Amino acid sequence: MNDITWEEPFCGEGNSCFRLGTDPHGNAYIAVAGAEGSPLTDTREALRTLILDIKAGKADHLL
């Protein structure tokens, strides 16, 4: 997993920080900041869909 390019952490209140990353092979990663060695992995298309759905309000019920 050395070829992952991580974005800066997205942090809420307290220690709830998440990082998004991608690699040159078309994979996308989500990890808790500081635990990048154990990320959730899927395709970039899946990450794109997740982000667009969140922006569209499909996860608002979790707030």
Side-chain angles (χ1 to χ4, degrees), residues 5 21-28 42-50:
T5 302
T22 57
D23 70 18
H25 310 289
N27 299 307
D42 209 323
T43 64
R44 286 186 187 192
E45 182 58 32
L47 178 60
R48 180 182 183 280
T49 299
L50 174 67

Side-chain angles (χ1 to χ4, degrees), residues 1 4-5 14 29 49 53 55 62-63:
M1 287 193 218
I4 300 171
T5 302
Y29 303 85
T49 299
D53 284 352
K55 288 176 71 173
L62 299 172
L63 301 176

Side-chain angles (χ1 to χ4, degrees), residues 8-47:
E8 289 297 316
F10 294 92
C11 298
E13 292 183 21
N15 294 328
S16 57
C17 296
F18 296 91
R19 294 188 77 182
L20 303 176
T22 57
D23 70 18
H25 310 289
N27 299 307
Y29 303 85
I30 301 173
V32 173
E36 289 84 351
S38 300
L40 170 67
T41 307
D42 209 323
T43 64
R44 286 186 187 192
E45 182 58 32
L47 178 60

